[in-house]
Amino acid sequence: LGAGPGAPTALVYGHFDVQPVDPVELWEHPPFAAAVAVRDGEEVMVARGASDDKGAGVLPALQGVEAVLQETGSLPINIKFMVEGMEEIGSP
């Protein structure tokens, strides 16, 4: 999506993978179940990958681009979207 070759480019990045399970004995809680843990004196829900990106920033960015296009008909910059599923293992 873009404004042309002379305009700056922004990259919107998101990933949807989680940490590998192995070695399973190093997990504080079972990797395939949610648990209640105490962190900094407060009870919190923890689960493998629950608070990581998971592409959550991509949809609002797409909606923002859509809103700008609806309002103005064009973008002032070029925008590239990258969403991947192998970030936690090094993005081969």
Side-chain angles (χ1 to χ4, degrees), residues 2-14:
T9 299
L11 174 67
V12 178
Y13 171 83

Side-chain angles (χ1 to χ4, degrees):
L1 298 171
T9 299
L11 174 67
V12 178
Y13 171 83
H15 71 94
F16 52 85
D17 60 327
V18 295
Q19 287 287 321
V21 173
D22 291 321
V24 73
E25 65 274 3
L26 295 181
W27 287 92
E28 293 177 24
H29 307 282
F32 293 104
V36 176
V38 176
R39 302 270 166 90
D40 297 324
E42 293 187 36
E43 286 188 340
V44 295
M45 180 71 70
V46 294
R48 177 175 162 245
S51 64
D52 205 351
D53 177 23
K54 304 300 165 288
V58 175
L59 181 59
L62 283 170
Q63 290 171 323
V65 167
E66 179 183 40
V68 170
L69 289 172
Q70 287 177 350
E71 192 67 28
T72 67
S74 65
L75 297 173
I77 63 171
N78 300 303
I79 300 180
K80 295 185 179 192
F81 289 87
M82 180 179 169
V83 182
E84 64 154 330
M86 301 186 78
E87 182 265 350
E88 298 291 356
I89 61 168
S91 300

